[in-house]
Amino acid sequence: MVTGNDAEQVKLLFFGQLKERLQCANYTIAIKQPLSIKQLKSHLISLQPSWQTALNNDLLIAAVNQQIAQQQAIVKGGDEVAFFPPVTGG
């Protein structure tokens, strides 16, 4: 976790099978500057290497502040980011 006076908190939520695979429903990290969702996932993997397989999936759905977002979307301090596994039909 990044520490320091200039770091801001981002709340992360994990749902469905992703939550089960990570064994984590929510997680808070501090970031010093805005990051894209793709950069945020890389940062998470550096903090939690065992999450690499689950988070490296380009089909993961992300939402920033309850709005579906693309991998290039920017996350800043104070945001809430939710990750969902890919939706399967049947």
Side-chain angles (χ1 to χ4, degrees), residues 33-52:
Q33 61 192 28
L35 302 172
S36 70
I37 290 176
K38 186 173 184 170
Q39 291 171 320
L40 179 66
K41 290 191 319 185
S42 293
H43 183 57
L44 277 171
I45 291 167
S46 74
L47 297 172
Q48 297 289 339
S50 63
W51 292 4
Q52 181 171 358

Side-chain angles (χ1 to χ4, degrees), residues 10-12 29-31 33-47 55 62-64 71 73-76 79-83:
V10 174
K11 182 177 181 181
L12 306 171
I29 64 168
I31 60 172
Q33 61 192 28
L35 302 172
S36 70
I37 290 176
K38 186 173 184 170
Q39 291 171 320
L40 179 66
K41 290 191 319 185
S42 293
H43 183 57
L44 277 171
I45 291 167
S46 74
L47 297 172
L55 293 179
V64 178
Q71 295 295 304
I74 299 299
V75 176
K76 59 190 180 316
D79 284 347
E80 177 185 87
V81 180
F83 290 101

